[in-house]
Amino acid sequence: MSALLAESLISSLNVDARIDDITKATGWLGALAEGEGWSQATRFALELSLEEALTNVVSYGFQDSTAVPRIRIECYRLPEGRVAVRLIDNGMAFDPTTISEPVVPASIEDAKIGGHGVQLMRNFLETLAYAREGDENHLTLIAGKPD
């Protein structure tokens, strides 16, 4: 997949580890979606997933780290109208693909707020993949099944 991605880079964006930069990132992705003519389903899946993943990185990825935060987002055009977004950060190692599905609560009163982001990503994405490369997390989000 890496060779395929290297040849199809559309754009990239560096952001800071700040909550305000999540809006900057999703706005950037939305502008790419407009320019590239992505389907509404692809745009929604990638914007939602990027927001969820980036929120986790910004909120938790650098808590116990002395490293200067580096966050880069890359967007790739794939065959058959699919799109990949890769989130790369130098925060603490964390593989969201290992998170179990949340337990379904017995009632609305038992439901917990939060902890459902990875499940949402799995639901809307074709692929959610993680790799640790050196001191970086690489989270790849792929969407774009034909409508």
Side-chain angles (χ1 to χ4, degrees), residues 1-144:
M1 163 114 41
S2 292
L4 177 64
L5 291 182
E7 296 176 14
S8 61
L9 181 68
I10 299 170
S11 184
S12 63
L13 176 72
N14 292 317
V15 295
D16 293 323
R18 299 177 323 134
I19 292 293
D20 293 350
D21 277 11
I22 296 169
T23 303
K24 175 182 175 182
T26 56
W28 165 80
L29 193 62
L32 285 177
E34 278 298 310
E36 292 284 315
W38 300 348
S39 71
Q40 287 290 41
T42 297
R43 180 178 180 164
F44 177 79
L46 290 173
E47 284 182 344
L48 172 74
S49 298
L50 178 61
E51 183 174 343
E52 289 289 339
L54 197 50
T55 298
N56 286 336
V57 169
V58 168
S59 299
Y60 308 111
F62 299 97
Q63 275 184 337
D64 298 323
S65 175
T66 58
V68 174
R70 291 188 322 269
I71 303 171
R72 180 177 175 87
I73 306 160
E74 300 173 341
C75 185
Y76 300 88
R77 187 181 301 115
L78 301 179
E80 300 169 1
R82 294 162 41 245
V83 179
V85 171
R86 180 167 285 166
L87 177 59
I88 303 164
D89 70 84
N90 67 327
M92 295 180 299
F94 176 69
D95 181 355
T97 65
T98 63
I99 293 177
S100 305
E101 291 187 25
V103 176
V104 177
S107 68
I108 192 75
E109 291 80 22
D110 295 333
K112 288 192 269 181
I113 295 174
H116 299 279
V118 173
Q119 186 58 31
L120 282 171
M121 289 189 273
R122 286 180 181 137
N123 185 59
F124 287 105
L125 295 172
E126 173 187 323
T127 302
L128 176 65
Y130 171 83
R132 181 75 178 179
E133 297 182 18
D135 68 344
E136 295 179 329
N137 297 299
H138 289 241
L139 184 65
T140 303
L141 320 168
I142 299 177

